[in-house]
Amino acid sequence: MLLLLLSGNVAGQRKAVVDIQRLWLGETFNYKAKWGLLTIGTASTKSDRKLYKLGSATCCKIQLAGTTNGLASLFYLNDRWVSYIDIHSFTTQKAFRSIREGKYKLDEWTYFKASQKKAEVWRRNFQTNKFFLKKVYKTPENIRYVVAGFLMIRLVDLSEYKPGEKFLIDGFYEDTGYKIEVTVLEKEYVDTNRGRVLCYKTRPSVPKNKVFEDVNAVDVWVAVAKPYPVVKIKARLVLGELQIDQI
């Protein structure tokens, strides 16, 4: 197996053991999102069936998409994120996001230059339909965009961790670098449409803001068995509870 050791130097944390072969080309996972008792939308993650060459990096293309349904018309969104991820270092080489939320829309490319520890953000001008350089940001060397950060949890060999042990995920989203501390909790069964699934329960920390109840407001369940999908996500928000379930 191709294993990658990622840094995690905070006291009480072990280095994250990532198995790239947990990522299958051509795989798709679909989800539904519920706010309280209401199903408000759907989401999906998809990996392309082929690999891409970007400079010296061999990359897989991963897409994360989410949209609301009619019940959530007041919160309409149709968003898409795409990342090209180096299959050897699992770092992001370039990323695209397309945001459609109400009347707001945004298209943006981010190009990561690891050797220079920077990221160039190019944004579409919808009047000219051309992209312009919005800003250049400093980043850590081993940077991951939001999509790679999301996938990181399911690619970590969670069997190597005891309950209470932690690892770090370095990431970049919009104009901010972040470090998410993931705590591995206990194993437990999750009821799904296809029966009960044994999962590792994990708790990634979230930034302090006005959306989440606190930094420990999100739980993620990852299946113990192949292909190790994220089975459920539960987020305790200031305005209620959001739950995302695999379908």
Side-chain angles (χ1 to χ4, degrees), residues 49-100:
R49 293 184 177 274
K50 65 178 183 179
L51 295 174
Y52 295 81
K53 198 73 174 178
L54 299 180
S56 60
T58 301
C59 299
C60 58
K61 179 183 177 182
I62 307 293
Q63 176 173 291
L64 172 64
T67 184
T68 50
N69 60 23
L71 291 176
S73 58
L74 294 177
F75 310 98
Y76 168 78
L77 66 84
N78 187 358
D79 296 344
R80 182 168 60 97
W81 298 267
V82 179
S83 282
Y84 292 80
I85 302 168
D86 189 319
I87 63 172
H88 298 295
S89 66
F90 203 67
T91 55
T92 306
Q93 301 299 301
K94 68 176 183 178
F96 176 76
R97 62 179 179 135
S98 174
I99 306 298
R100 303 292 185 270

Side-chain angles (χ1 to χ4, degrees), residues 16-30:
V17 181
V18 177
D19 182 2
I20 301 299
Q21 293 192 17
R22 289 174 177 242
L23 181 62
W24 298 83
L25 296 180
E27 68 179 3
T28 299
F29 297 116
N30 296 307

Side-chain angles (χ1 to χ4, degrees), residues 9-235:
N9 298 319
V10 177
Q13 290 174 334
R14 296 178 51 194
K15 290 186 176 181
V17 181
V18 177
D19 182 2
I20 301 299
Q21 293 192 17
R22 289 174 177 242
L23 181 62
W24 298 83
L25 296 180
E27 68 179 3
T28 299
F29 297 116
N30 296 307
Y31 299 87
K32 64 179 179 181
K34 296 177 65 177
W35 193 312
L37 298 176
L38 295 176
T39 298
I40 62 170
T42 58
S44 65
T45 63
K46 181 185 298 185
S47 62
D48 208 328
R49 293 184 177 274
K50 65 178 183 179
L51 295 174
Y52 295 81
K53 198 73 174 178
L54 299 180
S56 60
T58 301
C59 299
C60 58
K61 179 183 177 182
I62 307 293
Q63 176 173 291
L64 172 64
T67 184
T68 50
N69 60 23
L71 291 176
S73 58
L74 294 177
F75 310 98
Y76 168 78
L77 66 84
N78 187 358
D79 296 344
R80 182 168 60 97
W81 298 267
V82 179
S83 282
Y84 292 80
I85 302 168
D86 189 319
I87 63 172
H88 298 295
S89 66
F90 203 67
T91 55
T92 306
Q93 301 299 301
K94 68 176 183 178
F96 176 76
R97 62 179 179 135
S98 174
I99 306 298
R100 303 292 185 270
E101 299 178 358
K103 296 182 179 180
Y104 176 77
K105 61 180 181 179
L106 177 145
D107 287 344
E108 193 172 76
W109 279 100
T110 302
Y111 298 91
F112 296 92
K113 302 180 182 298
S115 61
Q116 302 174 43
K117 296 184 179 181
K118 69 178 185 180
E120 293 183 354
V121 177
W122 292 73
R123 183 167 293 182
R124 185 192 299 274
N125 181 322
F126 286 96
Q127 292 183 336
T128 64
N129 205 33
K130 295 181 179 180
F131 285 85
F132 64 95
L133 179 61
K134 178 179 180 289
K135 196 169 182 179
V136 179
Y137 298 93
K138 294 181 179 180
T139 67
E141 185 173 1
N142 294 317
I143 195 69
R144 292 163 193 89
Y145 196 62
V146 61
V147 174
F150 173 79
L151 286 173
M152 178 71 77
I153 296 178
R154 65 172 287 241
L155 298 186
V156 171
D157 186 354
L158 297 175
S159 68
E160 296 289 326
Y161 295 84
K162 297 178 181 179
E165 290 189 324
K166 304 175 182 181
F167 59 89
L168 278 180
I169 296 174
D170 288 324
F172 182 88
Y173 181 59
E174 295 182 340
D175 57 356
T176 304
Y178 59 83
K179 289 183 180 291
I180 291 180
E181 181 180 75
V182 181
T183 303
V184 180
L185 303 174
E186 68 280 358
K187 290 182 186 178
E188 62 181 42
Y189 282 94
V190 174
D191 292 322
T192 73
N193 294 337
R194 289 167 291 176
R196 304 184 77 203
V197 178
L198 183 61
C199 296
Y200 292 104
K201 182 180 179 181
T202 66
R203 181 166 293 157
S205 62
V206 292
K208 291 183 179 180
N209 56 35
K210 298 179 180 179
V211 177
F212 299 102
E213 277 190 350
D214 54 54
V215 296
N216 297 312
V218 175
D219 294 327
V220 179
W221 286 262
V222 180
V224 170
K226 292 181 179 179
Y228 316 106
V230 173
V231 173
K232 182 170 84 170
I233 301 172
K234 183 178 288 187

Side-chain angles (χ1 to χ4, degrees), residues 231-245:
V231 173
K232 182 170 84 170
I233 301 172
K234 183 178 288 187
R236 294 168 292 280
L237 311 177
V238 173
L239 297 178
E241 185 174 272
L242 177 67
Q243 182 167 311
I244 299 174
D245 297 290

